[in-house]
């Protein structure tokens, strides 16, 4: 277990911005540097998507995804991997999550 400093959950950021798009949230948070932060977001999203697909990481929601001071996303809470899920019901069918905000 490790503490990840200087991060906020995507859920928190969306709530504080009155559920604006993630793009608008990044513009507000990162100001003139928002385009660079979006590039960091895209690169980290691509990496996590591959890992999420390969290891079948489940339970991905906005409270399990952090944003750091540079715009990178950081996934936390890997308690449901491969076939492990609450009650082993296999509650997620998608190989990885790609929300409208992420696109």
């Amino acid at each position: 277990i490790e503490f990840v400093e200087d991060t906020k959950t995507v859920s928190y950021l969306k709530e504080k911005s009155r559920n604006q798009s993630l793009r608008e949230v990044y513009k507000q948070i990162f100001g003139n540097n928002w385009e660079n932060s979006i590039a960091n977001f895209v690169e980290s999203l691509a990496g996590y998507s591959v890992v999420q697909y390969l290891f079948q990481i489940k339970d991905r929601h906005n409270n399990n995804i952090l944003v750091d001071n540079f715009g990178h996303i950081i996934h936390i809470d890997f308690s449901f991997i491969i076939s492990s899920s609450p009650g082993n019901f296999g509650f997620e069918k998608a190989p990885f999550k790609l929300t409208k905000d992420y696109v």
Side-chain angles (χ1 to χ4, degrees):
I1 296 177
E2 182 179 340
F3 181 75
V4 185
E5 294 185 57
D6 299 324
T7 60
K8 292 184 175 42
T9 65
V10 171
S11 180
Y12 174 83
L13 295 174
K14 297 273 294 175
E15 180 182 311
K16 290 297 179 188
S17 69
R18 298 186 190 105
N19 288 316
Q20 291 180 327
S21 72
L22 224 71
R23 180 184 207 96
E24 293 303 315
V25 170
Y26 267 59
K27 284 181 180 180
Q28 289 174 4
I29 294 172
F30 298 105
N32 292 335
N33 200 27
W34 78 272
E35 289 177 335
N36 193 35
S37 66
I38 289 287
N40 291 336
F41 170 85
V42 169
E43 288 176 9
S44 56
L45 175 64
Y48 274 113
S49 294
V50 170
V51 169
Q52 198 174 328
Y53 176 77
L54 291 174
F55 292 103
Q56 300 177 26
I57 300 170
K58 308 298 184 198
D59 195 30
R60 299 295 86 202
H61 52 77
N62 287 343
N63 284 323
N64 283 344
I65 302 172
L66 305 175
V67 174
D68 72 6
N69 288 338
F70 301 100
H72 301 102
I73 59 171
I74 302 162
H75 283 248
I76 59 171
D77 188 2
F78 296 100
S79 53
F80 301 123
I81 296 179
I82 304 181
S83 63
S84 173
S85 63
N88 288 322
F89 288 115
F91 62 97
E92 292 185 15
K93 303 292 183 220
F96 66 92
K97 290 191 179 177
L98 185 62
T99 67
K100 184 195 257 186
D101 258 343
Y102 290 178
V103 172

